[in-house]
């Protein structure tokens, strides 16, 4: 790594309220993903604090972070991150393996979610057999499996054409309407425009914050 | 279903993704365990058989046998073609007087005359001996009885037939009550022996084909000479006793007494016209051989299982690297480190334990085939070897799986997710 210390995030002071739909924008390398990983309890800050529901994440043990991710957070990635060896239903049900859910119940729930994202007839397909848009819908269904209050999406439309991108945005809007908190990274203005609030980053700092728009 | 079982199932399903690879990975363990089971079965089977046969000859016995000296010039020839050799009553008396630990002493004299039942004739050896021969030689009666002390002292002409001799002279009829002619004299048959099973096939054959008569009848009727007619020429041998069986009270004295007897006989027999057979020494030798073989194959098996374990570890490490992304995804979705450890450990354990079970089945089958196709072989699969093989394969599984599994769980989730 050399001696140069990279401050991926520097002096970020951000409060995100319950039920907000926040878009994080900024050029490549500005720290958007790092911020999202922090919010998702995948990473911990070297300095500073991240309070999730008033609890300091830094004080939590690795297993407690896992439990937090399992219970409250849903992830959607730019590259979908589905497991190729599992079919659609199995991918959707993955978070339930680590929650406390009976396999039969998990399967029923996964099928319901597959139906919700319009993949009823694709349940036994593998990710390889699906289009990009369909794969991202599987990922969204998966992020909902444990019924999380917070959904973190890192460029969810980044690998999709604008039409399928809009379909995905419609789904996210639905989830927001259900009262979930959504933090989404994007660098497309028209995608960001669909959020309530846009936070723009540059060099690890918050450059601009629109605040919640009605 | 508990979390533990749910995650263990992920491990087992991981194996189903690459059935051929799983099989090849387990092959090392299969071959290792199979070899252990098979080798031990062969060694145990062979050892048990040898021991049984040696024990059948009496592990407390020392057997002295007359042996015709190889070199005729060395033999003390009193007249041309008359050869004198072998054990004597004097030898028996000396041994009896010198070694108090010798409980019983059985002299045997072979009489080389054909045995007749009417016209049916058997060219065989008749063993002239004492009433307590049967006990000491571990023989048993099919039916009838052995001769008594009284018949011995009275030199009553009675005979007991070996199983093969009885069959060849009397076919399916019961010989007891009938009589046979040995040489020129007639003997009443009083018993028939069971067929013998000993470690010495020649000895078994001889015993089964022999007739047994009181030693006293021979001293009277046959004198001290044995006349052997062989293809025209006539050899005259003079042998007093062909065999002396010594039964020692305590098994621990057997070897030392056999050495004492050897030293003593050497003083009076300059031409090595006797041999000493100690079944117990053979038994101990056989046990040593068997243990040595077990140790040798044990270490070969240990090495092959080690290689099998390394094979599994290698594949598991590759698998962990290959599935780095999957590990990252699982962690992001709520998997704990211990969940990842368990998933990979279960995978390895199933591989090695299934490999162990298949290996045990293969080993047992190989042992069965061995018994089928190799003549005169016995194999013995002991519960001990199965437990041992199974335990080792499970142990190898844990050992080989632990490091890859811990390495998988130690990965940073973000790094893992970024992995291509
Ligand atoms: N694992 C890492 N090691 C070192 N530097 C990193 C690592 N991950 C990210 N960075 C750096 O942190 C900064 C922010 O990265 P990231 O959050 O991925 O940006 P973005 O998602 O906005 O493109 C970049 O300068 C990047 O080089
Ligand atoms: Mg990024």
């Amino acid at each position: 790594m050399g001696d140069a210390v990279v401050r991926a995030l520097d002096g970020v002071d951000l409060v995100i309220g319950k039920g907000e739909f926040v878009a994080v924008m900024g050029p490549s390398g500005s720290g958007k993903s790092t911020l999202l990983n922090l919010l998702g309890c995948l990473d911990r800050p070297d300095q500073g604090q991240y309070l999730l529901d008033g609890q300091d994440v830094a004080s939590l043990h690795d297993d407690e972070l896992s439990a937090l991710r399992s219970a409250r957070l849903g992830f959607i990635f730019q590259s979908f991150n589905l497991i190729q060896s599992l079919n659609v239903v199995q991918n959707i049900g993955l978070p339930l393996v680590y929650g406390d859910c009976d396999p039969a119940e998990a399967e029923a729930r996964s099928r319901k979610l597959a139906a919700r994202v319009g993949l009823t007839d694709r349940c036994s397909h593998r990710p390889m057999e699906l289009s990009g848009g369909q794969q991202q819908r599987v990922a969204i269904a998966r992020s909902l499996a444990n019924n999380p209050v917070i959904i973190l999406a890192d460029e969810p439309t980044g690998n999709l054409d604008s039409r399928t991108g809009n379909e995905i945005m419609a789904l996210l809007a639905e989830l927001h309407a259900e009262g979930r908190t959504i933090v989404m990274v994007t660098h497309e203005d028209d995608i960001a425009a669909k959020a309530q609030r846009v936070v723009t980053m540059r060099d690890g700092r918050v450059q601009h914050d629109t605040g919640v728009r009605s | 279903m508990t979390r533990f079982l749910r995650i263990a199932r992920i491990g087992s399903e991981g194996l189903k993704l690459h059935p051929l690879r799983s099989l090849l990975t387990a092959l090392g363990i299969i071959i290792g365990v199979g070899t252990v089971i098979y080798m031990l079965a062969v060694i145990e089977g062979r050892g048990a058989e040898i021991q049984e046969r040696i024990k059948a000859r009496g592990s407390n016995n020392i057997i002295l046998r007359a042996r015709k000296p190889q070199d005729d010039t060395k033999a003390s020839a009193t007249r041309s073609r008359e050869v004198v050799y072998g054990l004597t009553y004097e030898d028996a008396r000396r041994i009896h007087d010198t070694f108090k630990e010798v409980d019983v002493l059985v002299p045997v004299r072979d009489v080389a005359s054909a045995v007749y039942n009417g016209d049916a004739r058997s060219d065989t050896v008749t063993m002239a001996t004492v009433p307590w021969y049967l006990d000491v030689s571990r023989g048993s009666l099919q039916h009838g009885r052995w001769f008594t002390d009284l018949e011995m002292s009275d030199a009553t002409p009675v005979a007991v037939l070996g199983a093969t001799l009885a069959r060849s002279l009397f076919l399916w009829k019961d010989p007891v009550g009938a009589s046979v002619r040995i040489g020129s004299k007639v003997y009443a048959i009083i018993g028939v022996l069971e067929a013998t099973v000993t470690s010495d096939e020649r000895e078994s054959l001889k015993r089964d084909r022999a007739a047994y008569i009181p030693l006293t009848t021979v001293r009277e009727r046959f004198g001290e000479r044995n006349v052997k007619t062989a293809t025209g020429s006539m050899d005259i041998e003079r042998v007093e006793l062909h065999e002396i069986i010594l039964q020692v009270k305590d098994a621990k004295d057997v070897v030392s007494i056999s050495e004492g007897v050897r030293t003593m006989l050497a003083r009076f027999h300059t031409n090595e016209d006797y041999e000493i057979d100690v079944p117990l020494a053979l038994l101990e030798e056989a046990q040593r051989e068997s243990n040595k073989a077990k140790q040798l194959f044990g270490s070969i098996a240990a090495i092959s299982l080690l290689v099998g374990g390394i094979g599994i570890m290698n594949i598991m490490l590759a698998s962990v690297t290959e599935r780095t992304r999957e590990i990252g995804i699982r962690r992001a979705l709520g998997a704990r480190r211990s969940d990842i450890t368990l998933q990979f450990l279960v995978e390895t354990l199933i591989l090695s334990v299934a490999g162990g079970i298949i290996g045990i089945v293969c080993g047992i089958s190989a042992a069965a085939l061995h018994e089928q196709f190799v003549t005169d072989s016995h194999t013995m699969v002991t519960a001990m070897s199965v437990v041992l093989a199974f335990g080792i394969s499970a142990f190898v599984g844990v050992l080989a799986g632990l490091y890859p599994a811990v390495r998988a769980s130690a990965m940073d989730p973000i790094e893992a997710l970024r992995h291509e």
Side-chain angles (χ1 to χ4, degrees):
Chain A
M1 294 283 167
D3 311 61
V5 176
V6 178
R7 290 178 176 265
L9 291 178
D10 194 4
V12 173
D13 189 358
L14 206 58
V15 177
I16 296 174
K18 191 169 162 37
E20 282 184 23
F21 187 172
V22 183
V24 181
M25 295 195 71
S28 186
S30 57
K32 307 184 293 290
S33 294
T34 306
L35 176 63
L36 212 64
N37 288 339
L38 273 180
L39 296 178
C41 301
L42 280 171
D43 211 348
R44 277 182 283 203
D46 298 322
Q47 281 172 39
Q49 278 188 315
Y50 165 39
L51 303 180
L52 177 57
D53 272 344
Q55 188 173 31
D56 189 355
V57 165
S59 67
L60 296 179
H61 186 257
D62 196 82
D63 279 358
E64 292 171 312
L65 293 181
S66 291
L68 214 52
R69 290 197 292 271
S70 177
R72 330 206 49 177
L73 298 163
F75 281 94
I76 303 168
F77 303 93
Q78 178 177 3
S79 48
F80 322 134
N81 276 339
L82 301 176
I83 293 180
Q84 299 300 327
S85 58
L86 303 179
N87 66 25
V88 167
V89 170
Q90 289 167 327
N91 264 294
I92 293 173
L94 208 51
L96 298 174
V97 172
Y98 304 105
D100 248 331
C101 190
D102 183 74
E105 193 187 319
E107 165 142 10
R109 192 168 160 69
S110 305
R111 285 189 184 279
K112 219 180 281 173
L113 286 167
R116 175 167 181 187
V117 295
L119 293 171
T120 313
D121 51 346
R122 297 296 184 133
C123 280
S124 54
H125 283 62
R126 310 262 154 188
M128 292 279 271
E129 298 157 353
L130 302 176
S131 73
Q134 287 169 327
Q135 290 191 49
Q136 196 59 299
R137 280 191 274 160
V138 174
I140 290 174
R142 183 180 67 185
S143 75
L144 293 174
N146 51 356
N147 197 23
V149 287
I150 301 164
I151 290 182
L152 303 166
D154 196 346
E155 306 199 38
T157 61
N159 280 0
L160 304 174
D161 60 65
S162 59
R163 206 176 65 83
T164 31
N166 283 331
E167 284 173 26
I168 297 303
M169 284 313 295
L171 273 171
L172 287 180
E174 253 182 61
L175 301 184
H176 175 232
E178 286 171 4
R180 297 179 213 269
T181 309
I182 298 181
V183 181
M184 173 187 71
V185 170
T186 183
H187 53 246
E188 295 166 75
D189 287 323
D190 51 332
I191 294 291
K194 295 191 169 132
Q196 284 180 313
R197 174 182 171 188
V198 178
V199 175
T200 310
M201 313 227 0
R202 178 176 286 276
D203 297 333
R205 294 170 180 276
V206 175
Q207 191 188 36
H208 184 69
D209 186 351
T210 62
V212 180
R213 305 171 296 196
S214 56
Chain B
M1 205 193 294
T2 62
R3 181 188 183 103
F4 180 88
L5 286 178
R6 283 201 304 271
I7 289 155
R9 205 171 69 172
I10 302 172
S12 72
E13 271 157 12
L15 291 171
K16 287 193 217 144
L17 294 178
H18 307 282
L20 180 64
R21 183 162 88 181
S22 302
L23 181 72
L24 290 176
T25 308
L27 208 56
I29 296 285
I30 294 175
I31 292 173
V33 167
T35 314
V36 176
I37 297 283
Y38 170 66
M39 289 297 182
L40 285 182
V42 171
I43 296 169
E44 290 283 353
R46 180 145 179 71
E49 194 189 338
I50 291 175
Q51 287 185 19
E52 198 177 308
R53 282 171 175 238
I54 292 173
K55 275 183 194 151
R57 296 168 62 194
S59 43
N60 277 30
N61 290 358
I62 299 170
I63 301 154
L64 314 179
R65 266 194 214 95
R67 186 174 66 180
K68 191 169 178 176
Q70 292 291 307
D71 193 1
D72 267 4
T73 54
K74 263 188 163 180
S76 51
T78 49
R79 235 180 293 159
S80 63
R81 277 148 104 224
E82 190 186 59
V83 191
V84 179
Y85 69 92
L87 303 159
T88 61
Y89 288 104
E90 188 58 24
D91 289 331
R93 196 189 53 74
R94 269 196 223 104
I95 291 167
H96 183 259
D97 292 348
T98 314
F99 301 100
K100 295 297 169 215
E101 298 90 337
V102 174
D103 227 3
V104 186
L105 190 148
V106 179
V108 180
R109 165 105 177 265
D110 293 353
V111 181
S113 314
V115 179
Y116 295 88
N117 167 32
D119 288 336
R121 165 195 168 127
S122 181
D123 286 305
T124 180
V125 171
T126 296
M127 292 164 79
T129 183
V130 289
W132 53 94
Y133 169 88
L134 189 65
D135 241 13
V136 174
S137 70
R138 301 272 171 130
S140 57
L141 283 157
Q142 216 176 86
H143 56 277
R145 59 177 184 84
W146 192 256
F147 51 86
T148 61
D149 289 348
L150 192 66
E151 285 162 334
M152 176 77 181
S153 56
D154 288 356
T156 316
V158 290
V160 174
L161 305 187
T164 312
L165 178 67
R167 175 74 51 82
S168 73
L169 287 182
F170 290 88
L171 301 173
W172 303 105
K173 272 181 291 186
D174 183 6
V176 175
S179 59
V180 285
R181 185 161 61 81
I182 301 174
S184 56
K185 295 294 166 190
V186 173
Y187 290 76
I189 301 169
I190 55 169
V192 178
L193 291 182
E194 293 275 15
T196 47
V197 184
T198 75
S199 62
D200 187 340
E201 268 181 54
R202 236 184 53 216
E203 177 71 18
S204 296
L205 209 67
K206 180 187 164 192
R207 283 201 202 174
D208 288 345
R209 294 181 54 202
Y212 299 82
I213 55 177
L215 186 60
T216 44
T217 65
V218 176
R219 290 187 79 176
E220 275 182 18
R221 292 170 188 234
F222 294 89
E224 298 301 317
R225 281 183 186 174
N226 250 346
V227 181
K228 264 189 187 166
T229 16
T231 58
S233 80
M234 213 162 58
D235 272 334
I236 300 170
E237 296 181 5
R238 282 186 52 176
V239 178
E240 254 182 49
L241 289 176
H242 286 81
E243 201 170 311
I244 300 174
I245 306 172
L246 313 175
Q247 192 177 61
V248 180
K249 274 193 209 101
D250 198 334
K252 71 174 169 37
D253 295 328
V254 168
V255 174
S256 63
I257 289 185
S258 73
E259 288 314 312
V261 169
R262 192 185 299 279
T263 315
M264 192 174 99
L265 287 179
R267 251 191 300 145
F268 298 98
H269 296 252
T270 50
N271 52 358
E272 283 183 54
D273 55 350
Y274 61 92
E275 58 190 24
I276 300 181
D277 183 5
V278 188
L280 184 73
L282 291 177
L283 186 69
E284 283 169 355
E285 178 69 19
Q287 268 160 353
R288 266 196 301 277
E289 286 297 320
S290 177
N291 285 342
K292 239 189 272 173
K294 273 190 223 165
Q295 273 164 21
L296 181 68
F297 285 115
S299 49
I300 292 173
I303 291 171
S304 76
L305 283 171
L306 183 73
V307 172
I310 292 172
I312 289 189
M313 193 194 262
N314 188 26
I315 297 293
M316 288 312 293
L317 281 174
S319 172
V320 165
T321 306
E322 186 186 289
R323 288 154 71 183
T324 301
R325 185 77 168 262
E326 175 188 328
I327 294 165
I329 296 168
R330 289 184 183 277
R331 294 279 279 130
L333 299 182
R336 299 188 212 127
R337 284 189 198 283
S338 55
D339 296 332
I340 302 295
T341 310
L342 181 64
Q343 176 184 338
F344 282 94
L345 202 56
V346 164
E347 220 176 292
T348 329
L349 256 181
I350 291 177
L351 267 182
S352 55
V353 166
I357 291 171
I358 296 173
I360 288 170
V361 171
C362 288
I364 292 175
S365 312
L369 284 176
H370 181 100
E371 201 165 287
Q372 193 100 73
F373 289 109
V374 180
T375 43
D376 267 353
S377 66
H378 290 276
T379 57
M380 207 161 93
V381 178
T382 58
M384 173 70 189
S385 71
V386 171
V387 170
L388 190 79
F390 191 80
I392 290 177
S393 60
F395 179 70
V396 164
V398 173
L399 220 60
L402 213 50
Y403 175 62
V406 165
R407 206 161 104 160
S409 69
M411 277 181 202
D412 177 40
I414 302 169
E415 299 277 343
L417 275 171
R418 215 171 305 184
H419 193 265
E420 281 313 307

